[in-house]
């Protein structure tokens, strides 16, 4: 099986940190202004051997080239083994897998788990490529209260909450639902909330090269609510601010005020 | 398994059935600590397989001990199988000359859908009309815990809670209402974020007398 997004994320650190326009480890080192179209950066971004889109105007950032770790055929082929594992689990818990309510549970649970990790089947590039538009707009765009469902990678128990995304376009805007789709791709995986926040922010940065991106996630972790410390009302809030959201406190304030209203 | 009997519970001899099963459980538990550890390792291996079949990299740092954690979490979420009403109730039933309604509401409830192994959670509201015997209030919440920490179906869960109280106290009436959100409907499938499921069981005077039922519902269900 291919390695997951974890290693791809690490590979983005290989970019030259001195390049003023590059994205280093997801953080902007460069100036707020950069050429619209991003053609100047196509040369700056390291083209990996066998990079698919060297001829296109849009620079191909490494984390876009997520290796697809799963296909629909993979899903079908792993289903029997997954179902068998779930039958073992049912038996290990002291249940009777033959009783009526549990007869098809291994298959249902296996399919459900595959659905909860369908983010491994999808690539950002497929979702975004045709929804980036040139628009003479440089005011903040916010999409808030995006419902998010993920799985805790430590306990395999759901995490759910809301994502608020804001960005300052640099003459390029993104179809609004695509922000929600980016959330879906990264959240439908085995995740850690901190990583999820950063991945969403970096994906938008690399797609649009905006002046700044802010992502705030507030979520409830069932692993804390249903078990362990059992704190019913606790919420975890993480945020990633890139570009001018990080540098300019007024921009950040505006974003945070607007998502709370 | 106890829930089989519980699902058909209607008579008073079912409490004895539970008792019998409880005894069996206890004997098994004494000699089965090593078997428990054995089961844990089976579950752990199963989770390892699941992780690799889902396309994840099982050797990455975040997932190294996940099979063990997930197995322990699953055992915790189904710990209700090992607990019995008799254990928790026997010493907390008091003779009290009280025949008015007693309600404990907004009891948080967390369970696992037996069809998808995905959580459902919500609130339980319990009311009973004591027949000279009252029960310690936290015991009502503990009864909810016993039956909810299992692979469940919300209808059966509601009925089991009602039956357990009915058989322990022989009250003049018992009412249980559960309102829950099912992650199997919210996170997957139809994906309806705001849908919740309400089930109720009314026994004794709550079933027969509409004013009693109305009083319970007025005091419980926030509008």
């Amino acid at each position: 099986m291919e390695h997951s997004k974890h290693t791809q994320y690490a590979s983005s650190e290989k970019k030259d940190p001195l390049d003023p326009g590059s994205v280093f480890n997801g953080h902007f080192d460069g100036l707020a202004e950069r050429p619209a179209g991003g053609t100047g950066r196509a040369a700056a971004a390291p083209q990996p051997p066998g990079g698919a889109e060297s001829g296109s105007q849009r620079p191909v950032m490494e984390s876009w080239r997520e290796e697809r770790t799963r296909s629909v055929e993979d899903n079908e082929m792993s289903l029997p083994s997954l179902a068998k594992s779930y039958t073992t689990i049912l038996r290990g818990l002291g249940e009777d897998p033959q009783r009526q309510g549990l007869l098809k549970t291994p298959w249902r649970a296996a399919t459900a788990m595959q659905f909860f990790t369908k983010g491994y089947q999808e690539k950002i590039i497929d979702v975004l490529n045709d929804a980036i538009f040139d628009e003479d707009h440089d005011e903040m765009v916010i999409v808030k209260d995006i419902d998010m469902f993920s799985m805790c990678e430590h306990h395999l128990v759901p995490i759910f909450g809301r994502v608020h995304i804001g960005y300052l376009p640099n003459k390029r805007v993104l179809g609004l639902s695509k922000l929600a789709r980016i959330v879906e791709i990264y959240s439908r995986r085995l995740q850690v909330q901190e990583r999820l926040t950063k991945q969403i922010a970096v994906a938008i940065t690399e797609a649009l090269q905006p002046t700044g991106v802010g992502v705030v996630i507030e979520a409830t972790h069932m692993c804390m609510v249903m078990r362990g410390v059992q704190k019913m009302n606790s919420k975890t809030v993480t945020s990633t601010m890139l570009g001018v959201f990080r540098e300019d406190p007024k921009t950040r304030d505006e974003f945070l005020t607007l998502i709370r209203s | 398994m106890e829930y089989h009997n519980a699902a058909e519970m209607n008579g008073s001899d079912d409490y004895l059935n539970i008792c019998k099963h409880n005894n069996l459980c206890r004997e098994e538990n004494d000699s089965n600590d090593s078997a428990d550890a054995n089961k844990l390792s089976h579950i752990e291996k199963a989770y390892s397989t699941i992780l690799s079949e889902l396309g994840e990299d099982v050797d990455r740092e975040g997932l190294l001990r996940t099979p063990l954690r997930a197995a322990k979490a699953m055992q915790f979420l189904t710990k209700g199988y090992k607990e019995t009403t008799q254990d928790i109730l026997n010493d907390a039933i008091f003779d009290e000359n009280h025949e008015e309604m007693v309600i404990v509401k907004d009891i948080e409830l967390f369970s696992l859908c037996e069809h998808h192994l995905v959580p459902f959670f919500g609130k339980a509201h319990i009311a009973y009309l004591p027949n000279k015997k009252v029960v310690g209030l936290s015991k009502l919440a503990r009864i909810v815990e016993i039956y909810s920490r299992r692979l469940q179906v919300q209808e059966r869960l509601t009925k089991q809670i009602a039956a357990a109280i009915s058989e322990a106290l022989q009250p003049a009436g018992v009412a249980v209402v559960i309102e829950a959100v099912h992650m199997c409907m919210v996170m997957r499938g139809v994906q309806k974020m705001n849908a919740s499921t309400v089930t109720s069981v009314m026994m004794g005077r709550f079933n027969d007398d509409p004013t009693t039922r109305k009083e319970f519902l007025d005091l419980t269900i926030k509008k």
Side-chain angles (χ1 to χ4, degrees):
Chain A
M1 294 278 178
E2 298 286 354
H3 282 275
S4 70
K5 64 217 176 302
H6 202 67
T7 46
Q8 301 143 23
Y9 194 65
S11 70
S12 69
E13 295 174 20
K14 287 191 227 129
K15 287 201 255 309
D16 180 4
L18 300 175
D19 179 39
S22 75
V23 174
F24 175 60
N25 199 17
H27 302 299
F28 283 95
D29 281 335
L31 318 159
E33 276 156 17
R34 56 181 55 76
T39 41
R41 310 186 61 221
Q47 292 293 338
E53 282 146 85
S54 42
S56 76
Q57 292 216 340
R58 209 161 280 138
V60 178
M61 292 298 161
E62 288 197 31
S63 77
W64 275 48
R65 287 173 49 255
E66 289 153 26
E67 289 140 39
R68 192 171 280 182
T69 60
R70 234 164 69 182
S71 65
V72 175
E73 291 77 32
D74 283 337
N75 279 353
E76 281 172 18
M77 289 195 336
S78 26
L79 210 50
S81 166
L82 280 172
K84 208 152 141 259
S85 304
Y86 274 111
T87 312
T88 312
I89 292 174
L90 289 178
R91 233 178 250 122
L93 295 174
E95 265 283 6
D96 170 20
Q98 299 305 314
R99 70 172 172 90
Q100 188 210 37
L102 294 184
L103 266 180
K104 289 174 67 193
T105 291
W107 296 92
R108 283 186 291 242
T111 329
M113 198 49 127
Q114 286 184 332
F115 182 86
F116 296 145
T117 52
K118 69 178 167 65
Y120 294 133
Q121 293 169 227
E122 298 160 354
K123 290 205 290 196
I124 299 279
I125 235 174
D126 293 333
V127 160
L128 288 186
N129 255 1
D130 40 358
I132 298 179
F133 306 105
D134 296 311
E135 197 70 42
D136 187 14
H137 186 80
D138 54 4
E139 299 286 336
M140 202 182 292
V141 177
I142 297 178
V143 179
K144 61 178 189 168
D145 295 331
I146 302 171
D147 291 307
M148 178 274 294
F149 301 95
S150 190
M151 289 295 263
C152 158
E153 72 178 18
H154 299 141
H155 301 93
L156 301 185
V157 169
I159 303 169
F160 55 87
R162 290 188 164 165
V163 182
H164 312 285
I165 301 177
Y167 73 101
L168 270 167
N170 192 5
K171 311 291 190 201
R172 290 206 293 176
V173 299
L174 185 59
L176 297 170
S177 77
K178 303 302 177 273
L179 292 169
R181 285 187 191 275
I182 295 177
V183 170
E184 270 285 292
I185 289 182
Y186 285 117
S187 62
R188 297 288 187 183
R189 299 181 176 196
L190 303 184
Q191 272 289 9
V192 160
Q193 192 176 328
E194 296 86 335
R195 185 197 309 140
L196 171 61
T197 323
K198 201 164 194 177
Q199 284 178 317
I200 296 171
V202 168
I204 299 170
T205 305
E206 291 174 350
L208 297 177
Q209 289 87 43
T211 322
V213 177
V215 177
V216 173
I217 299 186
E218 55 181 83
T220 307
H221 291 241
M222 288 276 100
C223 53
M224 263 181 77
V225 170
M226 282 181 81
R227 60 164 291 288
V229 280
Q230 296 191 60
K231 296 295 178 187
M232 311 293 152
N233 300 316
S234 69
K235 285 197 172 145
T236 307
V237 182
T238 51
S239 66
T240 299
M241 305 287 172
L242 299 180
V244 81
F245 279 77
R246 174 178 277 230
E247 285 144 26
D248 180 10
K250 286 212 221 87
T251 311
R252 202 188 314 164
D253 270 344
E254 182 188 344
F255 171 56
L256 294 175
T257 310
L258 286 171
I259 62 176
R260 260 183 230 128
S261 65
Chain B
M1 293 282 170
E2 182 184 51
Y3 47 80
H4 272 306
N5 297 331
E8 290 124 34
M9 253 189 235
N10 259 326
S12 58
D13 57 347
D14 292 320
Y15 189 53
L16 296 173
N17 281 342
I18 301 174
C19 291
K20 264 202 310 219
H21 184 71
N22 294 348
N23 288 336
L24 279 176
C25 270
R26 255 184 249 123
E27 282 162 17
E28 282 176 4
N29 277 341
D30 287 340
S31 61
N32 271 357
D33 280 335
S34 60
D36 273 350
N38 202 13
K39 283 183 192 160
L40 185 65
S41 76
H42 282 316
I43 303 179
E44 196 185 333
K45 278 202 201 79
Y47 272 114
S48 256
T49 314
I50 290 175
L51 286 179
S52 57
E53 290 289 338
L54 289 175
E56 263 285 7
D57 169 16
V58 278
D59 294 321
R60 70 175 172 90
E61 190 206 1
L63 293 186
L64 271 180
R65 292 180 58 213
T66 291
L68 179 62
R69 282 185 293 240
K72 284 196 178 149
M74 201 48 133
Q75 282 191 329
F76 179 86
L77 297 176
T78 53
K79 68 180 169 67
Y81 289 126
K82 298 208 172 90
E83 298 163 356
T84 69
T85 344
Q86 202 187 17
D87 289 335
I88 58 160
L89 281 188
N90 259 359
D91 39 356
I93 299 180
F94 308 104
D95 296 313
E96 197 70 41
N97 191 10
H98 187 79
E99 288 173 346
E100 300 288 332
M101 200 184 297
V102 177
I103 303 178
V104 179
K105 59 178 189 170
D106 294 334
I107 302 170
E108 284 117 11
L109 176 156
F110 299 93
S111 191
L112 279 176
C113 156
E114 72 178 18
H115 299 141
H116 300 93
L117 302 185
V118 169
F120 70 92
F121 51 87
K123 293 183 168 164
H125 312 286
I126 300 178
Y128 71 104
L129 287 161
N131 195 4
K132 311 286 193 204
K133 285 203 283 184
V134 299
V135 71
L137 297 170
S138 76
K139 304 301 177 272
L140 294 172
R142 286 187 190 273
I143 292 178
V144 170
E145 271 285 293
I146 288 179
Y147 289 111
S148 60
R149 299 287 186 182
R150 300 182 177 191
L151 302 184
Q152 273 289 8
V153 160
Q154 191 177 326
E155 297 86 335
R156 183 197 310 137
L157 171 61
T158 323
K159 200 167 190 178
Q160 283 177 314
I161 296 171
I165 300 170
S166 179
E167 286 161 8
L169 297 178
Q170 285 90 42
V174 179
V176 178
V177 171
I178 294 183
E179 183 176 339
V181 170
H182 290 244
M183 289 280 103
C184 53
M185 262 181 77
V186 171
M187 281 179 80
R188 61 166 288 290
V190 279
Q191 296 191 60
K192 297 294 178 187
M193 309 291 149
N194 299 316
S196 64
T197 308
V198 182
T199 52
S200 67
V201 167
M202 307 284 172
M203 293 168 92
R205 247 181 38 220
F206 285 97
N207 196 18
D208 304 329
D209 180 7
T211 19
T212 314
R213 200 187 312 172
K214 187 171 184 305
E215 183 187 343
F216 164 61
L217 294 174
D218 284 342
L219 288 170
T220 311
I221 313 292
K222 294 192 195 91
K223 289 189 177 76

